Amino acid sequence: MIVFGDHKRTHSAEQLREAVLAEAEAIGDLPAGIERHAALVDLFVTAAELFQGLADAEFDTRGADGSSSRQKLGSEILVELSREVLRSWQQGFARKGSLDASLLAKLAAIDCGSKITTGPAEGYALYALYPETYLLAALRSGLDANTCVIGIRSIGLGLAAMVAAALHAPPPISVRPIGHPFSRHMSAAPELLGSWRDRPRAEFAIVDEGPGLSGSSLYAVIVWLRRQGIDQERIHLFPSHRGGPGAQADAETVAALSQCQNHVADFEDVFDGAVAPGLRDWIGHLLGKADVELQEISGGAWREHLSAPAGAWPPAFPAFERRKFMASADGERWLVKFAGLGETGRRKLGTAKALHEAGFGAQPAGLCHGFLVERWIDAGRLSAKARFVE
């Protein structure tokens, strides 16, 4: 179940950079396949967290978003990492080898002499949002290199790098709208757009994981661009879903978002088995089984597989469930549940192993690019008469 919490932490930027460098150097030791691709994406997620934290630290100092050599270098690094992910995906995870030494040198050169505040991005931790979907959305968008890509921090900075990489566009700029969650506004230096304001044929892409309940962050950037003289028809949105904003959106926000061109790609579009192996292939590789059947059981559908009549099913809250599947092969069944990308997924795998070893959880088979795979346990629901026994 999805449980919300603002798990921000303040830590050393230098320590996080060292973690990024360690992950980057380890890529070369991995063979081609889903493990290397997943490690690339995990590296990208960690690096994006670092550069988001550094950008926010500069915002806190200036009181507004602006440009700096450190932010430009950070965006450049994220675009290079995005290109690595793009090549890995386009080659069906067959790519192998170490990352370019120049990329590692750029990472080592980043000024990290400060504390930063970061936290796990909700999309990567809870909603099974995969950065590869933004690559495909950009490739399908019809946009080209003459596009100013703008990421909304926190998660939008990294996702914007994915869009820029796919479009061969310059590295993105990033902004963080501020104010009440349902009424965000921009605080940014006009020169942040640079020469983009003077390019009448340039397009503008706003990238984020929303829209959420109000859509106010996306709307704030649209308003800011319009005040810079950018026509509405040149503004494109790269959100995480095709639905509009939620119940807290006002009429102006709904109208503005609907007037922009939206570009979205789904998980199944990216991992369809044609370009790159899909989830069924990942699970088969992990379990060492050739013929795996996969059935989605999200949104309370898992109850259909309980050994209990429908009237005795436990309650479900579909809107707050993580995405999950049941995998079957050779008479065995496994629960495949989204656990998170990056450090979030690795931590949950460790927790699952500890619970199993202590006798309190199912046997975990491993982590497949964000999905935790555990042995399916057939069991009835505890009744009111159940008692603990020694």
Side-chain angles (χ1 to χ4, degrees):
M1 185 173 183
I2 294 173
V3 179
F4 295 97
D6 191 13
H7 302 294
K8 301 295 184 185
R9 59 184 183 273
T10 300
H11 48 172
S12 164
E14 185 174 356
Q15 287 182 343
L16 187 54
R17 181 191 55 192
E18 293 307 308
V20 172
L21 279 169
E23 288 185 42
E25 292 168 352
I27 295 292
D29 298 328
L30 297 173
I34 182 60
E35 291 90 349
R36 184 182 185 277
H37 180 82
L40 270 176
V41 174
D42 286 352
L43 165 62
F44 167 82
V45 169
T46 308
E49 181 180 345
L50 168 64
F51 297 126
Q52 164 258 307
L54 291 172
D56 281 342
E58 292 187 13
F59 180 96
D60 291 341
T61 299
R62 287 194 297 253
D65 276 309
S67 180
S68 71
S69 58
R70 183 169 67 176
Q71 286 196 52
K72 289 178 179 178
L73 181 56
S75 291
E76 183 180 319
I77 291 170
L78 287 176
V79 170
E80 290 189 33
L81 287 173
S82 298
R83 288 175 182 149
E84 286 288 343
V85 174
L86 174 61
R87 286 188 284 263
S88 174
W89 170 65
Q90 289 180 325
Q91 295 176 23
F93 307 157
R95 188 174 176 82
K96 59 183 179 180
S98 301
L99 299 180
D100 193 279
S102 64
L103 175 58
L104 299 181
K106 290 177 182 178
L107 275 168
I110 284 285
D111 176 13
C112 291
S114 62
K115 296 283 187 180
I116 58 173
T117 300
T118 67
E122 287 185 359
Y124 299 149
L126 303 174
Y127 297 121
L129 189 157
Y130 280 73
E132 296 97 321
T133 60
Y134 284 73
L135 291 172
L136 183 57
L139 291 171
R140 289 175 170 178
S141 68
L143 298 174
D144 58 22
N146 192 25
T147 303
C148 174
V149 184
I150 304 168
I152 298 179
R153 298 193 305 274
S154 56
I155 194 174
L157 170 57
L159 296 175
M162 287 283 171
V163 172
L167 298 179
H168 301 284
I173 61 176
S174 74
V175 297
R176 182 181 283 282
I178 58 175
H180 190 280
F182 298 158
S183 183
R184 301 289 195 195
H185 64 275
M186 288 284 291
S187 177
E191 59 268 21
L192 184 60
L193 280 182
S195 63
W196 286 107
R197 289 176 297 177
D198 304 320
R199 302 184 189 182
R201 295 186 178 180
E203 304 288 327
F204 293 79
I206 306 172
V207 187
D208 195 21
E209 70 173 333
L213 280 174
S214 69
S216 67
S217 291
L218 286 167
Y219 180 59
V221 184
I222 293 172
V223 170
W224 178 67
L225 288 174
R226 297 289 288 115
R227 288 174 178 169
Q228 303 293 315
I230 308 304
D231 298 331
Q232 180 86 29
E233 58 267 22
R234 291 199 285 154
I235 301 175
H236 300 251
L237 303 182
F238 283 82
S240 62
H241 59 83
R242 291 181 173 82
Q248 297 298 328
D250 58 31
E252 289 184 357
T253 299
V254 173
L257 268 60
S258 65
Q259 290 167 11
C260 296
Q261 297 184 58
N262 282 252
H263 307 284
V264 183
D266 297 322
F267 177 86
E268 286 78 11
D269 296 330
V270 176
F271 303 111
D272 60 358
V275 177
L279 181 59
R280 179 182 288 105
D281 303 304
W282 310 351
I283 305 305
H285 174 74
L286 176 69
L287 300 178
K289 299 181 182 296
D291 299 316
V292 174
E293 294 183 7
L294 206 59
Q295 180 180 357
E296 180 147 15
I297 55 172
S298 306
W302 50 270
R303 296 178 296 175
E304 299 173 10
H305 301 276
L306 298 177
S307 55
W313 284 356
F317 197 166
F320 282 82
E321 280 195 17
R322 294 175 180 272
R323 196 164 192 195
K324 57 180 71 71
F325 300 81
M326 183 174 68
S328 305
D330 298 335
E332 297 179 327
R333 295 195 292 178
W334 301 80
L335 173 63
V336 181
K337 181 172 65 174
F338 182 74
L341 299 176
E343 191 271 336
T344 300
R346 294 192 295 269
R347 186 181 69 251
K348 289 183 179 177
L349 174 61
T351 299
K353 288 180 176 179
L355 288 172
H356 173 66
E357 291 170 0
F360 292 107
Q363 175 191 0
L367 191 68
C368 275
H369 195 12
F371 280 90
L372 179 64
V373 182
E374 299 175 291
R375 188 174 292 279
W376 183 278
I377 297 178
D378 286 307
R381 187 181 182 188
L382 288 176
S383 69
K385 297 180 180 179
R387 294 289 186 271
F388 289 106
V389 295
E390 294 184 0

